[in-house]
Amino acid sequence: MQFENLKGTSYVEGTDDVKLYDDAFGQIVAAALPVSDSLARINRLKMSEGRTP
């Protein structure tokens, strides 16, 4: 498995390493807001700063 980061590209090999990153990604996805909620939150922040959504 190849992934990019701020310092370039890294390679992850082996089932245990791939599972570690797969689990971490799953946790990020689970914690993320749905797209509609994210857009609503961004628009609220814009309006609180006096910008139009």
Side-chain angles (χ1 to χ4, degrees), residues 7-46:
K7 296 175 96 178
T9 302
S10 300
Y11 292 89
V12 177
E13 297 180 12
T15 305
D16 293 339
D17 288 342
V18 172
K19 183 169 179 2
L20 176 71
Y21 284 94
D22 187 52
D23 290 346
F25 182 75
Q27 289 176 9
I28 292 168
V29 169
L33 292 173
V35 172
S36 59
D37 292 349
S38 294
L39 291 173
R41 185 171 184 166
I42 290 167
N43 286 330
R44 281 193 309 272
L45 290 169
K46 282 181 173 181

